[in-house]
């Protein structure tokens, strides 16, 4: 085995850094802060973009129709999975279908569970019509062969249980027929069932003390739906319009036909929901980008100044090393090794801490931001980490470029004389 | 002395957070409507034991000056940190719904503290291992070539 030399070139760089522990710690912290913000900002921004794209894919409708005053609740269900129960009359299916320019209409029924065995917080149950549905069914097919029975459910990615397990809602047992992938939207915390099962659950909900469908106008019950019997209730309509028509135009048409504000319904173009999310996302992305650029320039500037001052102070040392026979190239390499060690250590610490803080708190971040949030796959996560590590690491060698080139251009004699020897 | 204070106090703080965090700061889920506790409650109870063990090891770290003893204590702290991680993620677990308070805040906080304990004390053990008196080679007597010696 080859014997390790007593003092290697990299040992010299490490000893030089150890000689000034406070300065080294400050520089490492600066690069760590840069890497932390770079990786954290990129990860959160990427997750939000991922979530918004997921939402756009899942919301395959052009228009949503909900009872008047409940448009915010639908947004809460879709974006954050906030459980709500509200109803409107099912005759809207026929009224809307009869309009010219409507390609497809499908109803949804939203029921908030009270307590479930899996979880002590209410959960959103969503009933959908399997014959007309074009939003849920297309992505259920990947997980569920065949039709859903009345005692079968499909659970979102964040809901407990495995396929074949049973879950209790309103004292009824439901078999989990399939589980969805995480989408970063409110659907992750929802449970899907066929329309019959959802209507039965809505009846159970009223019987168990939730706002009644038939009489009491509870907090969550629609003004119109409060007097609607469960067999004829729906919560929202998802609508597809003919090609060539715009959602805004169709919204105007529906409002004109049924009377804006008098009909008891609100027409929400889905682009408005996605647009609201995208607007917030654009502001956040711009803020993160500006913060990262400012921090990067600041780090580069501070490191350049510190390296320049340090190398100026060490002129004697470099002069002696040159007179001992160390080449100019080797000296420059020593400076790069020192700055590289500082920036690599800082970058690794920053990326590690950022990952440690952001990855486990996925759900908390999603709820705080109130936007669709889906963390990237492992491969993409590693790519973001590698890019952040490289950009942060590059700061050190880049910062020492100026001073090392200046040092490399002077003669040993001049360096020693200037150093005062 | 500096290492002893930082690592010892660090262990006391980490242990206290592991033991009492789920009880007071980042709370686990409340009992269900029927009064039954969910799994995360028992994880919180187990973490009290592990956290107090880490505090005790941290106090020992403050008391002993021998680097060999502190090396052993740091290694045991790293493994105990691993145990603090294992309770919520493998040995007991918690509520399966990701939006429940335990999964949203308490377990992620325990993960951060547990990983910092494992990594921090593994690094400290490595540092103490490297710091132990180095085998400095004796000064090698100048090798005089045989021919020169004869002449």
């Amino acid at each position: 085995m080859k014997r390790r030399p007593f003092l290697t070139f990299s040992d010299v760089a490490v000893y030089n850094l150890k000689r000034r522990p406070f300065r080294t710690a400050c520089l490492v912290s600066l690069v760590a802060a840069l890497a932390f913000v770079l990786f954290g900002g990129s990860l959160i921004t990427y997750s939000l973009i991922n979530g918004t794209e997921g939402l756009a894919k899942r919301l395959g409708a052009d228009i949503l129709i909900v009872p008047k005053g409940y448009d915010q609740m639908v947004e809460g269900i879709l974006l954050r999975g906030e459980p709500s129960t509200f109803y409107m009359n099912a005759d809207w299916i026929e009224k809307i279908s009869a309009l010219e320019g409507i390609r497809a209409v499908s109803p949804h029924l939203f029921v908030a569970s009270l307590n479930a065995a899996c979880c002590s917080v209410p959960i959103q149950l969503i009933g959908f019509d399997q014959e007309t549905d074009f939003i849920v069914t297309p992505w259920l097919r990947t997980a569920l062969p065949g039709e859903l029975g009345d005692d079968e459910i499909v659970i979102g990615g964040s809901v407990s249980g495995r396929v074949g397990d049973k879950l209790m809602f309103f004292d009824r047992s439901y078999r989990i027929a399939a589980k969805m992938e995480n989408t970063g939207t409110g659907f992750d915390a929802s449970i899907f069932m066929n329309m019959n099962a959802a209507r039965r659950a809505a009846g159970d909900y009223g019987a168990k003390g939730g706002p009644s469908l038939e009489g009491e106008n509870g907090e969550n019950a629609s003004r119109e739906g409060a007097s609607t019997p469960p067999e004829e209730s729906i919560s929202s309509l998802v609508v597809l319009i003919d090609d060539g028509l715009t959602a805004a135009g169709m919204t105007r048409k529906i409002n004109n036909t049924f009377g804006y504000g008098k009909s008891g319904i609100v027409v929400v173009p889905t682009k408005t929901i996605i647009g609201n999310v995208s607007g917030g996302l654009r502001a956040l992305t711009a803020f993160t980008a500006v913060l990262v650029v400012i921090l990067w320039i600041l780090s580069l500037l501070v490191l350049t100044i510190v390296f320049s001052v340090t190398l100026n102070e060490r002129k004697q040392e470099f002069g002696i090393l040159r007179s001992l026979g160390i080449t100019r190239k080797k000296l420059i390499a020593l400076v790069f090794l020192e700055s590289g060690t500082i920036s690599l250590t800082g970058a690794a610490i920053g990326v590690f801490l950022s990952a440690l803080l952001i990855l486990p708190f996925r759900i908390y971040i999603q709820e705080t931001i109130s936007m669709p949030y889906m963390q990237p796959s492992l491969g993409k996560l590693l790519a973001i980490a590698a890019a952040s590590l490289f950009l942060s690491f590059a700061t050190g060698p880049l910062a020492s470029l100026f001073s090392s080139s200046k040092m490399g251009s002077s003669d040993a004699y001049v360096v020693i004389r200037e150093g005062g020897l | 002395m500096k290492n002893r204070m930082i690592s010892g106090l660090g262990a006391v703080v980490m242990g206290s957070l592991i033991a009492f965090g789920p009880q007071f700061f980042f709370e686990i889920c409340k009992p269900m409507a029927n009064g039954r506790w969910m799994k995360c409650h028992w994880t919180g109870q187990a973490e009290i034991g592990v956290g107090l063990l880490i505090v005790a090891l941290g106090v020992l770290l403050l008391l002993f000056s021998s680097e060999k003893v502190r090396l052993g204590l740091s290694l045991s702290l790293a493994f105990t940190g691993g145990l603090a991680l294992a309770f919520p993620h493998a040995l007991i677990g918690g509520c399966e719904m990701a939006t429940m308070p335990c999964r949203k805040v308490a377990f992620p906080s325990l993960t951060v503290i547990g990983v910092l304990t494992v990594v921090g004390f593994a690094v400290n053990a490595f540092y103490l291992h490297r710091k132990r008196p180095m085998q400095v080679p004796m000064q090698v007597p100048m090798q005089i070539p045989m021919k020169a010696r004869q002449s």
Side-chain angles (χ1 to χ4, degrees):
Chain A
M1 202 172 84
K2 201 181 167 187
R3 204 176 152 213
R4 189 179 182 274
F6 186 60
L7 191 67
T8 62
F9 202 59
S10 55
D11 286 342
V12 176
V14 172
Y15 286 133
N16 280 336
L17 295 175
K18 275 186 176 171
R19 205 163 54 115
R20 296 277 188 90
F22 184 72
R23 184 181 69 94
T24 306
C26 287
L27 294 179
V28 167
S29 307
L30 186 72
V31 182
L34 170 71
F36 186 92
V37 174
L38 193 62
F39 179 70
S42 312
L43 182 59
I44 291 178
T45 310
Y46 186 89
S47 303
L48 286 169
I49 292 171
N50 221 8
T52 311
E53 282 173 0
L55 176 72
K57 270 185 217 162
R58 296 291 180 247
L59 279 182
D62 297 316
I63 288 172
L64 293 176
I65 296 177
V66 293
K68 194 180 167 190
Y70 288 87
D71 40 340
Q72 291 296 321
M73 280 193 178
V74 168
E75 214 171 299
I77 292 170
L78 297 177
L79 301 185
R80 300 176 287 278
E82 290 168 1
S84 302
T85 305
F86 53 88
Y87 309 107
M88 60 192 245
N89 204 312
D91 60 11
W92 281 106
I93 303 173
E94 280 175 30
K95 286 184 193 170
I96 299 293
S97 307
L99 290 175
E100 203 178 315
I102 299 288
R103 185 148 49 104
V105 178
S106 184
H108 282 168
L109 183 60
F110 300 131
V111 184
S113 81
L114 298 174
N115 286 328
C118 63
C119 22
S120 67
V121 289
I123 193 166
Q124 184 70 62
L125 308 177
I126 302 179
F128 65 101
D129 182 1
Q130 292 186 90
E131 283 177 20
T132 58
D133 183 75
F134 53 89
I135 290 189
V136 182
T137 313
W139 51 276
L140 277 183
R141 274 190 196 137
T142 55
L144 179 77
E147 295 231 318
L148 269 182
D150 286 358
D151 294 318
E152 286 184 325
I153 51 172
V154 174
I155 58 173
S158 307
V159 182
S160 67
R162 295 182 201 92
V163 174
D165 286 357
K166 301 230 165 163
L167 283 183
M168 294 280 283
F169 294 102
F170 308 113
D171 292 337
R172 265 183 225 279
S173 178
Y174 294 87
R175 195 185 77 85
I176 300 172
K179 185 163 184 165
M180 308 309 302
E181 290 292 320
N182 269 321
T183 60
T185 65
F187 290 147
D188 292 348
S190 303
I191 282 174
F192 299 91
M193 46 180 59
N194 70 30
M195 217 57 174
N196 287 339
R199 288 211 167 104
R200 194 178 58 191
D204 292 344
Y205 179 70
K208 288 270 175 190
S212 166
L213 292 164
E214 296 172 69
E216 295 158 37
N217 198 352
E219 197 192 335
N220 282 336
S222 145
R223 282 166 211 97
E224 183 182 336
S227 58
T228 310
E231 302 82 53
E232 294 171 26
S233 294
I234 57 169
S235 299
S236 72
L237 280 176
V238 283
V239 180
L240 270 181
I241 57 175
D242 281 342
D243 294 336
L245 296 176
T246 62
M250 185 51 74
T251 305
R252 264 196 308 275
K253 187 175 178 180
I254 295 172
N255 284 334
N256 290 340
T257 311
F258 300 105
Y260 182 73
K262 292 173 196 164
S263 55
I265 57 163
V266 178
V267 185
V268 187
T270 50
K271 274 187 183 164
T272 314
I273 297 176
I274 296 166
N276 289 344
V277 173
S278 304
L281 186 61
R282 265 196 298 277
L284 193 80
T285 312
F287 175 74
T288 312
V290 169
L291 190 71
V292 164
V293 169
I294 289 175
L295 202 67
W296 201 76
I297 292 172
L298 196 75
S299 307
L300 197 64
L301 212 68
V302 171
L303 287 177
T304 307
I305 293 167
V306 171
F307 281 133
S308 180
V309 170
T310 316
L311 292 188
N312 220 28
E313 277 175 5
R314 290 168 63 188
K315 270 186 177 173
Q316 280 184 12
E317 179 194 329
F318 290 130
I320 293 168
L321 288 172
R322 286 291 305 280
S323 64
L324 285 175
I326 289 185
T327 61
R328 200 175 282 171
K329 251 186 182 173
K330 277 270 184 192
L331 269 189
I332 293 173
L334 184 70
V335 172
F336 274 114
L337 207 60
E338 285 178 23
S339 61
T341 308
I342 284 175
S343 53
L344 188 66
T345 312
I349 291 174
V351 170
F352 170 72
L353 287 181
S354 192
L356 186 62
L357 277 178
I358 292 172
L359 294 178
F361 285 96
R362 176 178 67 85
I363 302 293
Y364 184 73
I365 294 170
Q366 185 175 359
E367 286 199 6
T368 309
I369 300 180
S370 288
M371 282 161 89
Y373 182 90
M374 194 161 89
Q375 276 174 358
S377 59
L378 185 67
K380 281 182 181 155
L381 190 73
L382 289 177
I384 295 172
S388 310
L389 199 71
F390 176 75
L391 272 177
S392 313
F393 164 69
T395 326
L398 268 179
S400 57
L401 204 64
F402 170 71
S403 29
S404 59
S405 65
K406 216 172 117 188
M407 185 188 73
S409 61
S410 29
D411 286 328
Y413 166 71
V414 180
V415 172
I416 295 173
R417 202 182 60 175
E418 279 182 4
L421 275 179
Chain B
M1 183 69 183
K2 213 194 283 176
N3 175 275
R4 213 170 93 188
M5 290 301 286
I6 293 173
S7 56
L9 287 176
V12 171
V13 171
M14 294 293 185
S16 306
L17 282 172
I18 290 172
F20 304 115
Q23 316 300 324
F24 302 110
F25 310 119
F26 29 90
E27 285 184 50
I28 42 178
C29 305
K30 302 264 184 291
M32 286 190 281
N34 57 12
R36 272 181 58 203
W37 289 104
M38 287 175 278
K39 266 205 292 187
C40 57
H41 168 76
W42 306 113
T43 296
Q45 295 295 105
E47 293 291 9
I48 294 177
V50 176
L52 290 179
L53 179 62
I54 290 175
V55 171
L57 290 171
V59 172
L60 291 179
L61 211 48
L62 283 169
L63 293 177
F64 285 99
S65 58
S66 158
E67 281 177 3
K68 274 188 179 176
V69 174
R70 285 195 288 132
L71 171 65
L73 286 171
S74 295
L75 281 174
S76 61
L77 272 163
F79 287 118
T80 317
L83 192 62
L85 279 173
F87 278 123
H89 295 293
L91 296 178
I92 300 178
C95 299
E96 286 183 54
M97 182 137 166
T99 47
M100 295 291 284
C102 64
R103 293 273 306 272
K104 202 165 56 180
V105 181
F107 285 7
S109 305
L110 284 172
T111 306
V112 172
I113 300 165
V115 170
L116 285 178
T117 307
V118 172
V119 174
F121 286 100
V123 168
N124 194 46
F126 181 72
Y127 167 76
L128 289 170
H129 177 69
R130 287 286 297 262
K131 207 185 156 202
R132 283 166 63 200
M134 251 173 67
Q135 298 289 318
V136 181
M138 296 292 288
Q139 199 167 7
V140 183
M142 193 179 283
Q143 297 280 315
I144 303 167
M146 285 301 281
K147 275 184 189 171
R149 223 187 277 176
Q150 283 165 359
S151 65

